[in-house]
Amino acid sequence: MTQSLSSHTDLCDLTVAQSAALIASKALSPVELTQAILSRIDQVGEPLAAFVSVHHEEAMAVAKAAEAMMQVGYKVGPLHGVPLAIKDNISLAGRATSAASKILKGKEATEDAEVVRRLKGAGANLLANTNMHEFAWGATSENPHYGVVRNPWNTACIASGSSGGSGAAVAARAVPAALGTDTGGSIRLPAGANGIVGIRPTVGRVSGRGIIPLAWSMDTCGPMTRTVEDCALLLQVIAGHDPADLSTSRAPVADYLATLSHGVNGLRIGVIPEYFFTQLQPAVLKATQNALDVLRTLGATVVETSIADLDLNLSALMTVESAEPSAFHQRWMRECPDDYGENVRFMFEQGELYLASHYIQAQRFRSVLRQRFMERFAEGIDAFVLPSLPFTAPEIGTANIELEPGVVRPTLEAIMRFTGIASVTGLPALSVPSGFDQHGLPIGLQLLGRPFDEAMLFRIGHAFQGATDYHLRKPSLLS
């Protein structure tokens, strides 16, 4: 431990921003930080089944190079020497990228995904691939090939998914941050269930090149962190047009950190009570209402509104998120169907039963719903606030879940009740910790914003974290 840090400092508790600043000032060695992170991974990685692969030797080599560069006054970028992890569907050249599947096990990527290239260019040390729901088609991360990802707040419970390994690893302080991907909620669901921060950027904000797809028209990639500041910092690095990915937007990328501390005074926060406050567990409802009270205290105005046919978002989501993945997996489903886990194989089989007319109608509805939200934004709403999940993490293997007395739904259907809105509309959404239930399990709050206005979501989320301490608490696994 260097003299500039307290001997009681747990290096694994440092945020990305703190680590980067300490390394830049030469108060922290990248080697020392990487050793601490790898030690924590060795401690909690296996019990949580949070990782598919950990690159110990390579990570230490990168850390030593980062330290040598700092010693001669050379800084690669804003993440110089900071250890991070990536979800196992994101290509890292020379490393297996399997999407936590049997079919692609051991298949090495020949080039970096664009988001990996940008992280490396900023100086990050990518030391591990995180576990996930196989091929990202599921919301529990119960993986038959690499193990069931467990929630660090209660290892009998799911970490959610599909980016469950990233969520569990960040919550357990095994890495300060990780990348995830989000189609129907796969960043925001594990962010909410594990008590961390995660953003689904606007579709087109971040390149998907080099990422194994689930559903092309809804896939996004984003950071998962413990603080909103870290989330903003990492999105700043990976966001922006990619000339080799025609789906990315040329819209300018805002300076997220410049407006981070502007507060919420005078902002108008939208809620849709008949949808946001129904069919959810009492603890989640209470946490959401308490969060709105916090925002009011900070100077925001909460505005009640409504949007027609909002309840149809889940049907449209499931149609698109079934048909598109089944098209991608069609050849493998015919050549080696038994190599898929049973639940994932079922979802791919089901996706082939949709008609073209179902898919087209779902895509038409997406445009209609997006326009209805755009009308509310035009009326002066700055962002919407709603739960990330309607319930806290259930026990592993739970097939059906009670949302409120007498209302029971299949877990897969219920889990995306709120995250599906951003997925269907293509709008950005940020999940932040907003409390805990009576069993000590985290609750997430979701912020939904205008297209390419991630800066507003970071601004609101940062203000909320400044007024609360939910993001500072440690899971029971570390007690």
Side-chain angles (χ1 to χ4, degrees), residues 374-395:
M374 294 304 294
E375 290 168 359
R376 297 299 176 271
F377 289 129
E379 293 167 0
I381 289 177
D382 294 295
F384 286 86
V385 166
L386 64 160
S388 298
L389 294 89
F391 50 82
T392 53
E395 289 190 1

Side-chain angles (χ1 to χ4, degrees), residues 30-354:
V31 171
E32 189 176 8
L33 177 61
T34 301
Q35 287 173 332
I37 293 297
L38 289 173
S39 178
R40 178 61 56 82
I41 288 175
D42 291 341
Q43 174 192 352
V44 305
E46 186 173 345
L48 294 177
F51 298 95
V52 169
S53 58
V54 183
H55 322 308
H56 289 82
E57 292 183 6
E58 296 88 339
M60 288 308 303
V62 171
K64 290 174 182 177
E67 183 166 277
M69 284 188 282
M70 287 303 301
Q71 288 174 345
V72 295
Y74 189 84
K75 178 183 176 183
V76 173
L79 301 176
H80 186 99
V82 178
L84 303 175
I86 58 172
K87 189 176 179 180
D88 195 50
N89 59 347
I90 302 172
S91 298
L92 180 62
R95 288 289 150 197
T97 303
S98 71
S101 70
K102 180 179 179 180
I103 289 173
L104 295 179
K105 186 174 184 179
K107 183 175 177 59
E108 288 189 3
T110 56
E111 61 181 6
D112 289 333
E114 176 62 13
V115 291
V116 166
R117 189 188 70 79
R118 296 188 183 200
L119 288 175
K120 285 183 176 180
N125 186 352
L126 305 180
L127 47 63
N129 288 30
T130 57
N131 198 1
M132 55 185 282
H133 208 108
E134 181 183 1
F135 281 117
W137 204 169
T140 65
S141 298
E142 296 175 73
N143 189 298
H145 313 297
Y146 294 93
V148 177
V149 183
R150 296 177 179 272
N151 194 306
W153 297 88
N154 182 340
T155 55
C157 297
I158 66 168
S160 198
S162 64
S163 309
S166 293
V170 173
R173 273 68 170 171
V175 287
L179 288 190
T181 61
D182 190 308
T183 305
S186 291
I187 286 173
R188 294 160 290 151
L189 294 171
N194 292 280
I196 64 169
V197 176
I199 191 165
R200 172 192 171 85
T202 310
V203 168
R205 180 76 294 172
V206 175
S207 175
R209 182 163 58 93
I211 300 175
I212 298 169
L214 179 63
W216 298 281
S217 67
M218 294 193 299
D219 288 347
T220 56
C221 178
M224 302 174 71
T225 63
R226 296 202 310 274
T227 69
V228 173
E229 179 186 21
D230 282 357
C231 203
L233 175 60
L234 287 173
L235 186 61
Q236 195 80 60
V237 170
I238 65 173
H241 179 65
D242 173 10
D245 181 356
L246 298 180
S247 70
T248 55
S249 172
R250 293 182 180 273
V253 178
D255 186 340
Y256 302 131
L257 297 176
T259 57
L260 192 63
S261 299
H262 283 192
V264 300
N265 189 43
L267 297 184
R268 290 166 55 84
I269 305 297
V271 295
I272 304 173
E274 66 270 21
Y275 193 87
F276 294 174
F277 301 156
T278 60
Q279 295 190 36
L280 71 171
Q281 290 178 344
V284 177
L285 175 60
K286 182 179 179 181
T288 305
Q289 291 173 332
N290 288 344
L292 290 170
D293 287 341
V294 170
L295 295 174
R296 287 189 185 97
T297 300
L298 295 173
T301 300
V302 176
V303 180
E304 292 189 1
T305 186
S306 62
I307 290 182
D309 301 319
L310 184 57
D311 60 320
L312 298 179
N313 83 86
L314 192 56
S315 176
L317 171 71
M318 292 302 293
T319 300
V320 176
E321 197 173 350
S322 295
E324 291 185 0
S326 293
F328 179 80
H329 286 268
Q330 192 173 65
R331 179 172 63 86
W332 288 334
M333 280 292 294
R334 283 151 178 72
E335 294 177 351
C336 49
D338 292 338
D339 286 346
Y340 288 95
E342 183 178 352
N343 68 334
V344 171
R345 184 174 65 249
F346 171 78
M347 298 304 291
F348 289 137
E349 290 171 345
Q350 179 177 270
E352 295 213 44
L353 301 179
Y354 284 91

